[in-house]
Amino acid sequence: MDIKTQLRQHFAQLVSLTDDEFERIWSHFSLKKLKKRQFLVQEGDHVKYHYFVAKGLLKASYTDESGKEHILQFAMEDWWISDYLALYNNTPATLSIDCIEDSEVLTLSDEDRQKLTREIHAFSNFFLQKKNAGYVGLQQRVLLLLFKNPRERYERLQELQPRLLQRVPKTLLASYLGVSRESLSRLYQGEL
Amino acid sequence: MDIKTQLRQHFAQLVSLTDDEFERIWSHFSLKKLKKRQFLVQEGDHVKYHYFVAKGLLKASYTDESGKEHILQFAMEDWWISDYLALYNNTPATLSIDCIEDSEVLTLSDEDRQKLTREIHAFSNFFLQKKNAGYVGLQQRVLLLLFKNPRERYERLQELQPRLLQRVPKTLLASYLGVSRESLSRLYQGEL
DNA sequence: GGCGAACTGTGATCCGGATCACATCTTTTT
DNA sequence: AAAAAGATGTGATCCGGATCACAGTTCGCC
């Protein structure tokens, strides 16, 4: 399947668009190819784009004063990623986004997104629905971090995103789950 | 200031509405008065409404199998609250929402919100902006939970929401921060 | 095809925060 | 006004997970 079709189907899961509407939307995207370890956004950058992952695997992370990296989000095929804090507030990026695997992403500037959102109601609706789902997902993650121990967090991730577990190195998984690499390694001694 | 004006000004912070548009929106809200400890939503309820807090203080919380309560969100004047997971997926509430102080909330059904969102572009925009801000806020909270210790989380809250700290009992604060009540109590021995 | 870097497992030790237990003190309720 | 329920502080003990240290393995690269 080509990337244009992939994007079209992605929208179709939540809203319906006429051919004309989709063409108008599509014309504002550009394709960007990246290799493993390459950065899409670096701390301090001016962030202008939303990124739709067509292929590959990326991570968004924050590096604290002591140099430790904390992973906020992974993104694989059909996921969106950006530093939304920087994007919406027009501030320098506090996150870094880089590739765990060779990847292809579609970029959409927030300026264009605003324009399209004004012109095409279904598109506006798409974004609202996405944000709602993302918001609810983050709430669940907060609850998980608040009162589940590392083992339960790991198991939950296994349920919800089994594909992710297999593609992401354990070191990075540990950081996403808020556990040390060593403790994570000890968790799944008893299982599988 | 009366509640109608309060709501109008709340919208005005993010979007501009004509008198006519605001009247149309306003007509879909109803006022609900609640006393301390009263529930707005209980686990298992069918959730139909968004709630805008006009006055008072509420909390949204999840109760785990062992009966412990974990606080996901507080809401005071000019904040919105609901069980969004239940609201958007039409599933029974997993959260409970109840009053920490006597409160007055404005209710808006999601059905009406969808209708207004379709009819009034600025209103749609308002919701999208709110969700974005909420999403970013939750991301920050996840980062805080991931790699800051209880003391730093407490200090951050003190910076960001000093008013909240003074109104919320320490027991509930502890639950929101993901610390035991006892440990929280020991945190601020050295300060102030 | 060999060298360095990233990845993963595992042992030993340590410590932050949970848990348990109790003592005020303050609100509510009746 | 008394009784019950909630809020807060504080000591003693315990344990999950962090940290430190090292080894084996796999991967990308000159």
Side-chain angles (χ1 to χ4, degrees), chain B residues 66-133:
Chain B
S66 73
K68 270 181 75 173
E69 183 189 36
H70 304 273
I71 296 184
L72 190 57
Q73 188 200 341
F74 293 110
M76 48 188 194
E77 288 78 10
D78 286 5
W79 294 23
W80 293 81
I81 194 167
S82 189
D83 180 343
Y84 295 107
L85 176 64
L87 186 61
Y88 293 127
N89 299 139
N90 248 286
T91 50
T94 53
L95 300 179
S96 297
I97 302 178
D98 67 318
C99 299
I100 299 175
E101 302 174 359
D102 293 353
S103 303
E104 296 179 16
V105 301
L106 289 171
T107 71
L108 173 68
S109 75
D110 191 56
E111 201 179 344
D112 288 343
R113 190 229 92 215
Q114 284 180 33
K115 179 167 114 28
L116 290 170
T117 259
R118 256 181 269 115
E119 294 171 358
I120 302 173
H121 198 277
F123 188 71
S124 166
N125 198 240
F126 172 82
F127 262 83
L128 187 53
Q129 283 191 53
K130 269 284 159 202
K131 273 296 153 179
N132 280 335

Side-chain angles (χ1 to χ4, degrees), chain A residues 85-165:
Chain A
L85 177 63
L87 187 61
Y88 293 128
N89 298 142
N90 247 285
T91 51
T94 54
L95 300 179
S96 296
I97 302 179
D98 67 319
C99 299
I100 298 174
E101 303 173 358
D102 293 354
S103 304
E104 297 179 15
V105 301
L106 289 170
T107 70
L108 173 68
S109 75
D110 191 57
E111 201 178 342
D112 288 343
R113 190 229 91 216
Q114 284 181 33
K115 180 167 108 42
L116 289 169
T117 258
R118 256 180 269 117
E119 294 172 359
I120 302 173
H121 197 276
F123 188 71
S124 165
N125 197 239
F126 172 83
F127 262 83
L128 187 53
Q129 283 192 54
K130 269 283 161 205
K131 273 296 152 179
N132 280 335
Y135 183 86
V136 167
L138 274 179
Q139 278 197 339
Q140 295 300 109
R141 185 156 172 221
V142 166
L143 281 179
L144 223 60
L145 288 171
L146 269 182
F147 78 99
K148 294 292 192 185
N149 62 29
R151 148 151 265 138
E152 291 178 287
R153 288 182 222 157
Y154 178 77
E155 285 167 356
R156 174 60 81 88
L157 192 61
Q158 204 162 32
E159 275 176 47
L160 297 182
Q161 298 294 342
R163 292 195 303 153
L164 200 62
L165 283 208

Side-chain angles (χ1 to χ4, degrees), chain A residues 170-171 181-182 186 188-189:
Chain A
K170 306 279 186 254
T171 313
R181 186 186 62 71
E182 295 92 329
R186 282 165 182 127
Y188 44 78
Q189 306 305 52

